[in-house]
Amino acid sequence: MIETIKNNYLEIKISTIGALLTSIKDLKHENEELLYQIEENSWPFQDVQIFPLIGKGEYLYKNKKYEFNTRHGFIRNSSFEIENKKEDQITLIFNSNEETLNVYPFDFTFLITFSLNEYTLNIKTKIINNEKSKDLYCAYGSHTGLKASSKLGKLSFDKEIKINPLTKNGLISLENEENLKINEIDLKKETFKKYDTIVLRNHYSSIILDNGFNHLVKYNFNDAKYLAIWSNMNKGDFICVEPWWGISNYTNELVNLKDINEINVIKNEKEFSYSFSFIYKN
């Protein structure tokens, strides 16, 4: 099911499968679409909510092996219910069940709220640990594809960029850290043929996307420890700038869940929030 929220500036559509964005339209400027719309032979998705692990989901917990059959966890394919809804705000909810317990042995509640404030889309996720006797271990992130020209688009940062390229098997390479000594990345396909995915330690207060069409987008990722930057290396006018509260594995070694790098330990509940602010250029 597709749900819609709107104000005088933006109209947002969200699928209840995965709590994923499917459309962001600028109502003041000819309903221009600001979210990537799926192109043939390019990325077959538009958005991903990442939970409970980033990247490959294979781990040990209490000496038992668990594994997800999808990258970035299972919440992206889960069916959410509507917790509450207003014209400019919606909260979706998902509760763990017998199926999720088979791959992730924790009783949890996942709530996500999309709300509008003029040209800003705010997204807040709350993860509640329903276990009374044990900590919940998880990572969280977002993987939203915004429309951006692969010829004219660029990302600007307020500091020089130091990156850890993601290896072809989806692992973080600490040994190959590069200080690019630039504060701008163009979105030409050559960039992503060279790096595939760029992972940054998030120390940036200002991140601006010039989408190469008619808009600037200001990202606010608050306390996300890492950012990943990715686009299809061959085709597609979009960019994913992904806040990560956690990180992909460094090695292929099967490790205990609590020992995964940058794992979040949730005793009761924890909130994660980020936003996109859209600015019409012309």
Side-chain angles (χ1 to χ4, degrees):
M1 183 183 300
I2 302 297
E3 296 292 331
T4 301
I5 60 172
K6 64 189 296 186
N7 60 11
N8 291 330
Y9 303 87
L10 296 170
E11 180 185 80
I12 311 297
K13 293 186 180 297
I14 305 129
S15 172
T16 57
I17 303 299
L20 305 179
L21 292 162
T22 64
S23 177
I24 304 172
K25 287 186 178 178
D26 183 346
L27 299 179
K28 292 285 189 180
H29 300 97
E30 299 181 349
N31 291 338
E32 183 173 347
E33 181 62 67
L34 303 172
L35 189 74
Y36 165 67
Q37 300 300 297
I38 295 170
E39 300 177 48
E40 187 177 0
N41 299 321
S42 184
W43 189 37
F45 307 103
Q46 297 174 276
D47 189 22
V48 178
Q49 291 293 331
I50 302 172
F51 177 86
L53 289 178
I54 293 168
K56 185 179 179 182
E58 187 179 23
Y59 62 93
L60 295 171
Y61 183 72
K62 294 187 175 180
N63 298 318
K64 181 179 178 180
K65 180 182 175 181
Y66 293 87
E67 186 174 8
F68 311 137
N69 59 11
T70 56
R71 185 171 173 79
H72 290 324
F74 55 76
I75 209 75
R76 62 188 294 176
N77 297 318
S78 300
S79 296
F80 283 73
E81 301 292 332
I82 298 173
E83 176 76 354
N84 56 66
K85 185 179 180 182
K86 303 175 184 177
E87 183 178 15
D88 61 355
Q89 179 177 307
I90 188 170
T91 298
L92 302 176
I93 185 170
F94 176 80
N95 287 298
S96 56
N97 53 45
E98 184 176 349
E99 184 178 354
T100 67
L101 288 170
N102 286 330
V103 294
Y104 182 63
F106 297 92
D107 182 8
F108 69 90
T109 298
F110 186 108
L111 293 135
I112 184 166
T113 299
F114 300 85
S115 61
L116 296 172
N117 180 12
E118 296 187 346
Y119 269 115
T120 299
L121 170 60
N122 296 292
I123 302 171
K124 180 171 71 175
T125 298
K126 179 189 288 187
I127 297 167
I128 301 172
N129 179 5
N130 296 323
E131 304 279 357
K132 303 301 181 184
S133 59
K134 65 181 181 182
D135 296 338
L136 182 150
Y137 300 94
C138 72
Y140 173 69
S142 170
H143 192 308
T144 302
L146 294 183
K147 186 176 78 170
S149 169
S150 58
K151 296 179 180 179
L152 301 175
K154 60 184 179 181
L155 279 167
S156 300
F157 301 84
D158 59 358
K159 299 176 184 177
E160 289 183 349
I161 295 171
K162 182 177 287 188
I163 72 170
N164 293 107
L166 205 67
T167 62
K168 289 184 178 180
N169 58 0
L171 304 175
I172 294 295
S173 175
L174 291 180
E175 293 76 17
N176 296 324
E177 185 172 74
E178 297 181 40
N179 189 346
L180 296 183
K181 297 187 183 300
I182 57 173
N183 61 2
E184 187 174 284
I185 297 175
D186 71 58
L187 306 187
K188 293 182 174 64
K189 292 305 180 186
E190 286 74 15
T191 300
F192 299 100
K193 288 177 181 177
K194 180 178 181 181
Y195 291 112
D196 185 51
T197 300
I198 298 169
V199 179
L200 314 177
R201 290 185 176 90
N202 183 16
H203 303 298
Y204 308 98
S205 59
S206 177
I207 306 169
I208 303 290
L209 167 67
D210 183 336
N211 73 359
F213 296 108
N214 299 310
H215 286 79
L216 302 176
V217 182
K218 182 176 181 180
Y219 293 88
N220 182 357
F221 293 140
N222 296 332
D223 60 347
K225 198 163 186 178
Y226 295 90
L227 302 177
I229 301 170
W230 176 82
S231 187
N232 184 288
M233 68 175 66
N234 296 311
K235 183 180 178 183
D237 280 330
F238 72 95
I239 185 67
C240 295
V241 181
E242 310 168 30
W244 286 359
W245 288 265
I247 199 167
S248 295
N249 287 343
Y250 296 155
T251 71
N252 271 320
E253 182 182 359
L254 192 63
V255 298
N256 286 300
L257 181 60
K258 67 182 181 64
D259 296 326
I260 291 176
N261 299 295
E262 309 291 353
I263 200 77
N264 294 278
V265 182
I266 301 178
K267 295 183 178 298
N268 296 302
E269 61 184 49
K270 186 176 178 64
E271 290 187 352
F272 308 89
S273 62
Y274 54 99
S275 68
F276 307 109
S277 296
F278 300 94
I279 305 163
Y280 188 71
K281 293 194 301 181
N282 294 343

